[in-house]
Amino acid sequence: MVSITASIWNINKKIDYIVSHPYRVVSEISKVQTAVAHNNRYLPILLADNENNIDEIRDILRASREKNQKSLEVMKTQYLGDPKDIIILEAALNDLDMAMLKSADVFEGQKRDSQEVTQYFEHEIEALRLHVEDDLKTIKDFSSNKVLELRDRADESSQRAIVYAVALGILLLVFTFYLLRNENSRNEELNRRQEVLQDALNSAKKANDAKRAFLSRMSHEIRTPMNAIIGMTTIAFNYLDDQKRLTDCLSKITFSSKHLLMLINDVLDMSKIEDGKLNVNNETFDLKKLVGALVDIHYPQAIAKDQSFEVVISGFEEEKLIGDPLRVNQILINLLSNAIKFTPKGGKIKLDIKKLRCRRDKIWLRFVVQDNGIGMKQEFLEHLYEPFEQADNGVAKKYGGTGLGMAITKNLVSLMDGAINVKSEENVGTSFSVDLPFGLPKTEVTANPTLDELKVLVVDDDRDCCEHTSILLEKMGVYVDWVLNGYEAVGKVRTSLESGQGCYDVCFIDWCMPDLNGVETAKRIREYVGPDTLIIIISAYDWSAIEQQARAAGVDAFIPKPFFASTLYNTLLTVSQKGELNIEAIESAKANYEFHGQKILLAEDNDLNAEIAVELLHLVGLEVDCAENGQEALDMFLQSAPDEYALVLMDIQMPVMNGYDAAKAMRNSPHAAASDIPIIAMTANAFRDDVQAALDAGMNGHLPKPIDVDVLYQTIAGYVK
């Protein structure tokens, strides 16, 4: 831009130069030429016709001379050529002027056509005039050429200036556009910041309103269980002699205390999350145990509301995972509790666990919690994971809660590098999908007894359950058939017998099926197969209500859903082992071992395993008390006399309380035999880590399943005299 301005200034300077130098010289030369020509032409006439005007003629000549001198002065300062040219011209003009003045003196009074005048002008004046003309021409030609040269330069400079000007105009336009765009961007940025600030202000106001509403709700939520605790405590003091009323009060106090603890935990967890102090652990845990605990917690809640509750696992057989079981449990408890809370009576709750993908030592699982409850409005879904948010005050008042559960759940999922998605429709239901990654521990592979001689039939109206069970069994070497209803199952059994393919060794039959339920299906199958086939009812529900009816129909045992590989494997091992107990083994055991008068406490949740173990123990004279879970075994031990039990056989994977925890509780109890009583683990978990875990829990030894009769008796003999 500076160069363009300088170029334009230079052009103007050149134009001024042309005007003030060569061009002006040419102009002055023209004046001199005019004066010379005028004097030369008209002086003879004046001399001849103005006899009385000699003085005026002299004045005219002097005036002309003065004008010429002025022109010469201008030319001296403006002429760009050789200064001698001006000096020569000046001398020639002086000679001419002097000759002109002389003519006025010499030829005064003579006629125009006088021969002397004519000769003087032709010879003297004309020669001087021509000399002046030549000098003028020299100066004029030089100055004219200079004018043309400078004009050409000016034209070139003008063209460049035009190009520069156009470029400058374009640059100015671009620069102006850039400034306008930047200004527009700044305005947009200012508007955006204003919107952000306004949104932040609105969010802050909304957060404050939500927190005020939260504090109001929390005041009510906390006071409700506190009132119950205080009130029930007061009532309990007045009924110390009434065991039934006291138990009722303590039960309600316990429930209210747990509810109050849940509220406090939510607030503390949210506080930790906001402060960035909530950590995620990585440890090996048992998915089967975690799912069992979820079922134990939520199944009674669902039954209390007349809801169906189901857990389905499909697509994988891994049970040991590396992750944070506490946080996984917390996520699923939040989702399942909400599903039960916001689903009316008669509704359905389902937890579906499936494998997304598996790579080397890592597996991704998807947990889907579905319900057909009240659902949520689409506009609320945008704020679902915000702290202190609930759909509306009516929901808060009707269902209670802190409004922190989903915010905590979202943060826990994020901390575990997972993802959570929700689909919901008002008055239709809600589906939460949680994808979480887990590590897979390195385990030692142990040889397992072959099951390839077993033939199994699976009957379930859930196709995913059938396919999942079939995959697990086929990996164990079992021949598997599956059908989707009771009528097909009965037809399958009949066809197998009539075609000579033989009877099924085991039939797994779902309890709740449409048209023909599990008990009726078992009854009809039993009519065809007789006593040789083992019929097992599978169910996600408490089967105590139908147990008597089922056994009358020919059912041998019950196992819970969802199916895990270890559950199926242990059951089939029991079936296989039961067939291997022959007369020779029994007689050999009776001859070598005898423990009459001794009593053993057996903790075993599987009916078939318990039946076999009791039979083997009775063969050598042992009395047996059976417990169905770790908590029941602990209670029986605590209520026993100091020397009542000679030994405890403890299964590991049990509901309510597992074998490890039960053994630790026994060792730490005030019972007189707590430190001395032998506790032997009896489980299908036969890895080195499992053996060490049993010893760490305070157990004395480890018996792997399936039970080897000689090893069992030899182990007992080492502790029972």
Side-chain angles (χ1 to χ4, degrees):
M1 194 164 111
V2 173
S3 63
I4 294 173
T5 304
S7 178
I8 294 173
W9 179 81
N10 189 44
I11 291 169
N12 291 331
K13 185 178 178 181
K14 287 182 179 179
I15 292 172
D16 291 341
Y17 194 83
I18 291 171
V19 172
S20 61
H21 289 75
Y23 184 79
R24 192 168 180 184
V25 170
V26 172
S27 177
E28 295 299 326
I29 288 173
S30 296
K31 290 179 182 180
V32 174
Q33 284 178 328
T34 301
V36 170
H38 184 274
N39 290 337
N40 189 61
R41 182 176 180 180
Y42 292 105
L43 184 59
I45 298 173
L46 291 173
L47 289 173
D49 295 339
N50 295 285
E51 297 176 358
N52 300 317
N53 295 324
I54 293 301
D55 292 335
E56 293 181 8
I57 290 172
R58 288 190 179 98
D59 291 338
I60 290 172
L61 290 174
R62 290 189 186 97
S64 175
R65 184 177 181 181
E66 290 176 359
K67 289 180 181 179
N68 289 339
Q69 286 297 323
K70 289 181 180 179
S71 294
L72 285 171
E73 292 299 325
V74 171
M75 284 187 281
K76 286 178 182 179
T77 59
Q78 303 297 322
Y79 183 58
L80 300 177
D82 191 346
K84 291 180 180 180
D85 294 340
I86 303 299
I87 294 173
I88 294 170
L89 174 62
E90 185 178 15
L93 281 173
N94 285 332
D95 291 342
L96 181 60
D97 289 340
M98 293 300 295
M100 287 287 189
L101 288 172
K102 182 180 179 182
S103 68
D105 294 333
V106 174
F107 299 106
E108 183 178 357
Q110 293 191 22
K111 296 296 182 178
R112 173 184 175 186
D113 56 354
S114 171
Q115 186 176 0
E116 291 83 356
V117 172
T118 301
Q119 288 180 353
Y120 184 83
F121 273 91
E122 287 180 355
H123 296 289
E124 296 292 336
I125 298 299
E126 183 64 19
L128 292 173
R129 187 190 68 79
L130 291 174
H131 189 268
V132 169
E133 285 290 339
D134 289 340
D135 293 341
L136 288 172
K137 185 176 183 300
T138 299
I139 295 171
K140 184 177 182 180
D141 288 345
F142 179 84
S143 297
S144 297
N145 291 334
K146 202 67 177 177
V147 168
L148 293 175
E149 179 185 344
L150 292 174
R151 183 177 296 168
D152 290 340
R153 291 182 183 177
D155 289 342
E156 291 177 3
S157 300
S158 298
Q159 291 175 357
R160 287 197 298 270
I162 291 170
V163 173
Y164 291 156
V166 171
L168 176 61
I170 294 173
L171 287 174
L172 288 174
L173 287 174
V174 172
F175 183 67
T176 303
F177 174 76
Y178 177 75
L179 290 178
L180 290 175
R181 189 182 66 176
N182 285 350
E183 185 66 22
N184 186 54
S185 298
R186 283 194 295 270
N187 291 335
E188 289 179 354
E189 179 65 17
L190 287 174
N191 291 334
R192 189 188 66 80
R193 289 183 180 180
Q194 288 177 351
E195 291 176 358
V196 170
L197 290 174
Q198 187 62 43
D199 290 343
L201 179 61
N202 293 336
S203 297
K205 289 180 179 178
K206 189 175 180 181
N208 285 333
D209 292 340
K211 287 183 179 180
R212 280 196 294 269
F214 164 73
L215 291 174
S216 177
R217 288 199 305 271
M218 284 300 296
S219 176
H220 171 75
E221 290 291 331
I222 291 175
R223 287 176 184 275
T224 299
M226 282 298 296
N227 287 337
I229 292 170
I230 295 171
M232 285 296 129
T233 302
T234 302
I235 294 172
F237 274 119
N238 293 321
Y239 289 92
L240 294 176
D241 297 331
D242 188 340
Q243 186 68 30
K244 184 177 180 181
R245 188 62 185 273
L246 184 62
T247 301
D248 179 65
C249 289
L250 293 176
S251 175
K252 291 176 179 177
I253 289 171
T254 301
F255 177 80
S256 298
S257 299
K258 290 180 179 179
H259 179 63
L260 180 61
L261 181 61
M262 180 271 293
L263 296 175
I264 295 172
N265 284 339
D266 277 356
V267 175
L268 292 177
D269 280 347
M270 198 64 222
S271 176
K272 288 181 181 178
I273 289 171
E274 291 181 342
D275 292 341
K277 296 180 180 179
L278 194 66
N279 297 320
V280 174
N281 298 320
N282 271 318
E283 60 185 66
T284 302
F285 69 95
D286 192 333
L287 181 64
K288 177 182 175 183
K289 178 182 176 182
L290 187 147
V291 172
L294 289 172
V295 172
D296 291 340
I297 293 171
H298 295 97
Y299 174 73
Q301 297 176 12
I303 293 302
K305 291 186 67 175
D306 195 26
Q307 298 168 338
S308 68
F309 181 84
E310 184 179 10
V311 180
V312 176
I313 294 177
S314 59
F316 67 100
E317 59 179 318
E318 292 81 3
E319 296 181 27
K320 297 288 185 178
L321 304 175
I322 297 176
D324 192 330
L326 178 63
R327 299 307 178 191
V328 176
N329 189 60
Q330 191 172 357
I331 291 168
L332 296 178
I333 284 178
N334 280 340
L335 297 179
L336 289 171
S337 296
N338 282 343
I340 293 172
K341 180 193 296 185
F342 297 116
T343 300
K345 288 186 176 182
K348 296 181 179 179
I349 315 295
K350 183 179 181 181
L351 170 60
D352 190 357
I353 307 174
K354 61 182 66 176
K355 179 175 72 175
L356 287 180
R357 60 187 183 277
C358 186
R359 186 177 60 208
R360 295 182 182 176
D361 58 347
K362 202 165 189 179
I363 187 172
W364 282 261
L365 298 183
R366 172 167 290 174
F367 302 83
V368 180
V369 177
Q370 294 175 295
D371 66 66
N372 59 350
I374 63 174
M376 290 175 279
K377 297 178 181 178
Q378 292 303 309
E379 53 267 27
F380 175 68
L381 292 179
E382 299 177 2
H383 307 284
L384 176 63
Y385 303 114
E386 295 177 9
F388 313 114
E389 290 289 338
Q390 288 187 320
D392 52 56
N393 289 331
V395 172
K397 291 178 181 178
K398 182 176 180 181
Y399 295 100
T402 62
L404 296 175
M406 292 313 303
I408 293 172
T409 298
K410 170 69 173 177
N411 280 279
L412 289 176
V413 171
S414 298
L415 284 171
M416 298 177 70
D417 296 326
I420 183 169
N421 293 289
V422 59
K423 294 180 182 178
S424 186
E425 186 175 347
E426 195 172 11
N427 299 321
V428 174
T430 302
S431 175
F432 280 97
S433 174
V434 177
D435 299 342
L436 294 175
F438 298 95
L440 295 174
K442 294 180 179 179
T443 56
E444 299 179 16
V445 179
T446 57
N448 293 319
T450 179
L451 300 173
D452 56 6
E453 295 182 359
L454 291 179
K455 184 178 179 182
V456 175
L457 175 65
V458 178
V459 188
D460 199 313
D461 60 319
D462 188 324
R463 179 180 291 273
D464 289 340
C465 183
C466 287
E467 291 178 349
H468 176 64
T469 306
S470 177
I471 291 172
L472 294 180
L473 291 173
E474 286 174 354
K475 287 186 176 181
M476 299 174 194
V478 176
Y479 175 83
V480 187
D481 284 330
W482 58 270
V483 293
L484 295 172
N485 60 67
Y487 292 111
E488 288 184 30
V490 175
K492 194 79 173 175
V493 170
R494 184 176 65 248
T495 301
S496 180
L497 290 171
E498 291 175 352
S499 63
Q501 296 177 2
C503 186
Y504 289 99
D505 297 293
V506 183
C507 291
F508 291 104
I509 305 174
D510 185 33
W511 169 19
C512 293
M513 294 187 295
D515 300 327
L516 197 65
N517 65 36
V519 174
E520 185 61 31
T521 302
K523 182 179 180 180
R524 298 190 184 188
I525 289 176
R526 183 63 74 192
E527 293 175 356
Y528 286 101
V529 300
D532 296 330
T533 296
L534 184 70
I535 299 179
I536 301 174
I537 291 290
I538 55 177
S539 177
Y541 307 97
D542 180 8
W543 53 75
S544 58
I546 63 156
E547 184 172 4
Q548 185 175 356
Q549 178 188 0
R551 292 197 180 277
V555 173
D556 295 290
F558 303 84
I559 61 172
K561 281 185 178 181
F563 274 154
F564 286 89
S566 61
T567 305
L568 290 171
Y569 186 69
N570 291 340
T571 300
L572 295 178
L573 278 181
T574 302
V575 174
S576 176
Q577 183 189 31
K578 189 173 182 179
E580 294 173 358
L581 295 178
N582 52 50
I583 300 299
E584 294 181 1
I586 293 173
E587 294 299 328
S588 174
K590 290 174 68 175
N592 295 322
Y593 299 97
E594 182 62 44
F595 303 108
H596 280 290
Q598 301 291 341
K599 183 188 289 187
I600 284 180
L601 175 59
L602 172 66
E604 173 62 71
D605 65 316
N606 185 286
D607 290 343
L608 289 174
N609 289 341
E611 179 182 345
I612 292 173
V614 169
E615 182 177 345
L616 293 175
L617 295 171
H618 282 170
L619 290 175
V620 290
L622 289 168
E623 296 181 31
V624 183
D625 284 344
C626 293
E628 294 183 353
N629 56 67
Q631 183 62 56
E632 186 176 339
L634 175 61
D635 293 340
M636 294 173 67
F637 172 72
L638 294 177
Q639 295 170 11
S640 66
D643 298 325
E644 183 173 351
Y645 295 119
L647 183 139
V648 177
L649 291 176
M650 184 75 74
D651 186 26
I652 299 301
Q653 299 296 334
M654 293 184 293
V656 185
M657 179 184 287
N658 64 40
Y660 297 136
D661 293 339
K664 290 177 183 178
M666 289 180 181
R667 292 296 186 210
N668 295 326
S669 71
H671 194 278
S675 60
D676 300 326
I677 188 168
I679 304 176
I680 307 299
M682 190 170 64
T683 174
N685 297 339
F687 299 128
R688 183 183 302 166
D689 291 344
D690 299 315
V691 176
Q692 186 59 49
L695 298 177
D696 293 341
M699 300 189 194
N700 300 86
H702 183 281
L703 285 174
K705 291 181 181 178
I707 298 172
D708 183 296
V709 178
D710 289 333
V711 174
L712 172 65
Y713 294 156
Q714 184 178 354
T715 302
I716 295 174
Y719 296 98
V720 178
K721 305 300 181 184

